[in-house]
Amino acid sequence: MRLSELKNKTLPEAAALLGADEKAVALERFMQIGLPNKKSEEYRYFQVEKLLDKAYRTLTYVPKPIEEAEKIVIVDGIVTHAPHGMRVYYEQCQAMDMTHFDPMYYLGHLLSPHVIKIDLDGDTDVEIEHHYTQSGALIAYRIVLINQANRHATLFESFHDEGVKDALVLYGYDTFVAPDSTLRILKNQKMEAEGYAMITSHRLQLEQRANAVIKSFDMGAGMGLQLIKADLDRYAHIDAGHLLYLNGEAQRGTVSKIIHKGEHSTSNQEAKNILDGTSRGIFDALIKVENSAKWTKAHQNSKAILLHERAYMAAKPQLEIYIDELEASHGSTTGQLDEKQLFYLRSRGISETEARKMLVIAFANTLIEQIKDSRQQEVIKTTFEEAFYAGEKDMA
Amino acid sequence: MSKVLEIKDIHAKIGEKEILKGLNLDLEPGKVHAIMGPNGAGKSTLSKTIVGHYDVEVTEGEILYKGKSILDMEPEERALEGIFLSFQHPVEIPGVNNAYFLRTALNAKRKHEGKEELNAAEFLREMKKYLEMLGMKADMISRSLNEGFSGGEKKRNEILQMLILEPDVIILDEIDSGLDIDALRAVSEGINLMKDGKRSFLVITHYSRILDYIKPDYIHVLKDGRIIKTAGPELVAQLEEHGYESIVEEA
Ligand SMILES: Nc1ncnc2c1ncn2[C@@H]1O[C@H](COP(=O)(O)OP(=O)(O)OP(=O)(O)O)[C@@H](O)[C@H]1O
Ligand SMILES: [Mg+2]
């Protein structure tokens, strides 16, 4: 199907196209917002229409018996493996966010016959591998993540495309971060130019004193946008970090809305962007402080380094504030690698490529080294280096 | 007499301004050449010209190193061939670990010479003796390169690089400025360790102090973009007493 066919359809027509119930609330919300186009605020820097106009094969999502493994493995939207004793199952989505800003959040839900529910019991550290094997397919799936109060869970996600071409992946989490708990979601994703494209639409609901850490490491080429909505209750805290290392004609990045609803909630969001080739990096991030959220602290920052004159960074940190009692800051900078530093390294016999790599890594490391687990840190560093050398090869 | 570096009638600009105006200078193997001269004369510009700094544009003249022109060589090639500059103002590089940097530089050189590269452990073992000699705290190599280093620490780190890389032509741009007495002694000791009768030194300085430690063979006076006088070490006393105004350009 072509998703652009949903344009200007009546509700019954859209329901028929999507095979959805006319009365589905998600459908109603989706029709209200409408399919994204280049005028949609959230998609203004991302050529979404190019993706929506393509014809994709649709898949059927038939659950399979889940085999035991160390990690959760999801292949084309179907869980194939999960760790022993971990509760991973399918259900109808019970708690959709009715105020999400992203139409693709609703479309993702409409296209997924069920959600994959993962219960993170106790203190857990789990890895999810997403695999895509279907070229030309529309792959849509949603995950619901639930953790437990007073517990600390970490989720480390990676993506494996096995040479897939021209697929479109719509996925994302509905996440409920329990009171007094910590949930960390780390994403390591390297994409290729002609591979799959991806629109990720997350929703995080942080309960009182909940603590969420969401760190994304997006590297390589291709088209990928992650849209994040996070609602913060009293004393909740979110720590968001986004690394982009892009080359080729990549269009990748983050569109986020962090909404402070409860008093004393805090947020910290940091983007580091390294852009090569003719790539475009996106950091379009709003922090909204509602009038119920006194004594909020919100800090947001974006730094970009352009390695090529034709690379472009769309950095839009924004604050929307409805109270006075708060502490907030935001800013963004864009520049080049420091010539003096580059020369210093070269004057010691280090090749220009290697020197550039050292400086770029130094910049990226400020984010990567915030990851506490040294093994996960290594994995991300390795991915980074692979993407970096692939980018250097393109330039030659 | 053989020469390791021959600077011939060099004219060089920074931006639109000509800084070096037909400068001639030859470095002899195994000798220590000191350059003295007023502020703004072009001393740092000369050192930058030799190592291929991007600020400097050479408009005329030639620089030969071991008989070959280096003006078309990249900075890293010049370094690998054995030219080293200790910067007047070493740059800070946050996020680049000093030990990693030093090892990368050493291994680049070793690779260039067809030698095997050193791993982290072998490298640290090699380093230890130098750190002690230079009075450098062990944490200085685990920190980011030059970040937050005091002036003296930065200069010691330059000397450390010189010791590790074992270059053939060593240019020291005001290695002595801002050093306390202990640091000056440690740095001089490092420099003297490198003297092997083959290496050449170009020591840019404003003070005779360091020349008491590293005995120069020649003193060159650089003024207004040219070397206007070359003499033996006895010239230092005259300069100290009468200043640069007293020097009359030699024909
Ligand atoms: N990047 C630059 N841009 C513009 N002018 C420069 C630059 N670097 C040096 N100059 C100018 O070139 C001239 C020579 O400077 P240089 O640093 O070589 O002097 P120096 O002899 O090393 O002086 P000092 O003893 O103060 O270190 C000075 O007039 C200086 O202002
Ligand atoms: Mg100078």
Side-chain angles (χ1 to χ4, degrees), chain A residues 272 274 341 356-367 369 384, chain B residues 93-97:
Chain A
K272 296 265 163 126
I274 303 155
Q341 296 180 339
R356 287 167 72 88
K357 183 192 133 193
M358 284 169 78
L359 295 181
V360 165
I361 288 180
F363 181 73
N365 271 350
T366 50
L367 263 189
E369 285 175 357
F384 178 86
Chain B
I93 312 190
V96 171
N97 172 273

Side-chain angles (χ1 to χ4, degrees), chain B residues 161-178:
Chain B
Q161 292 166 45
M162 171 196 77
L163 290 169
I164 291 170
L165 296 174
E166 303 181 331
D168 296 332
V169 166
I170 295 166
I171 307 161
L172 303 162
D173 192 355
E174 297 199 24
I175 189 68
D176 52 338
S177 61

Side-chain angles (χ1 to χ4, degrees), chain B residues 20-79:
Chain B
L20 302 183
K21 304 169 183 171
L23 186 143
N24 290 286
L25 178 68
D26 292 336
L27 299 191
E28 296 172 13
K31 301 288 189 210
V32 176
H33 297 253
I35 290 197
M36 304 184 80
N39 292 130
K43 301 183 297 299
S44 293
T45 304
L46 171 63
S47 65
K48 284 178 174 176
T49 307
I50 299 170
V51 296
H53 194 276
Y54 56 86
D55 268 352
V56 182
E57 188 199 338
V58 174
T59 52
E60 243 185 278
E62 185 56 278
I63 301 181
L64 303 180
Y65 171 66
K66 296 181 179 170
K68 278 194 310 193
S69 172
I70 57 168
L71 286 179
D72 288 334
M73 281 163 68
E74 298 292 337
E76 56 267 39
E77 293 177 68
R78 301 186 199 199

Side-chain angles (χ1 to χ4, degrees), chain B residues 2 18 30 41 47 49 64 73 78 95 102 163 191 219 227 231 235:
Chain B
S2 69
E18 187 171 60
S47 65
T49 307
L64 303 180
M73 281 163 68
R78 301 186 199 199
L102 295 167
L163 290 169
I191 296 167
I219 308 292
I227 301 291
L235 182 64

Side-chain angles (χ1 to χ4, degrees), chain A residues 32-75:
Chain A
Q32 223 173 48
I33 313 177
L35 204 65
N37 58 50
K38 57 174 170 289
K39 292 200 192 96
S40 320
E41 208 177 313
E42 292 75 25
Y43 288 86
R44 59 190 148 168
Y45 300 114
F46 184 75
Q47 284 175 294
V48 67
E49 283 173 323
K50 212 167 88 181
L51 301 177
L52 301 179
D53 276 338
K54 265 191 200 157
Y56 299 102
R57 271 186 307 126
T58 46
L59 302 178
T60 48
Y61 301 92
V62 185
K64 281 192 191 138
I66 296 173
E67 287 175 44
E68 208 176 294
E70 278 182 11
K71 313 166 178 177
I72 297 175
V73 180
I74 303 175
V75 181

Side-chain angles (χ1 to χ4, degrees), chain A residues 209-267:
Chain A
R209 295 172 307 277
N211 193 2
V213 178
I214 176 157
K215 299 270 156 104
S216 54
F217 299 89
D218 289 318
M219 300 175 247
M223 298 272 296
L225 193 66
Q226 60 171 356
L227 302 103
I228 302 170
K229 175 174 180 270
D231 295 298
L232 276 60
D233 204 338
R234 300 181 72 232
Y235 290 98
H237 173 71
I238 187 166
D239 184 5
H242 315 288
L243 177 74
L244 283 182
Y245 169 71
L246 304 184
N247 48 41
E249 297 174 10
Q251 271 183 36
R252 309 259 300 264
T254 299
V255 174
S256 66
K257 294 195 180 179
I258 294 176
I259 303 163
H260 290 260
K261 294 194 158 149
E263 293 173 353
H264 296 285
S265 52
T266 54
S267 64

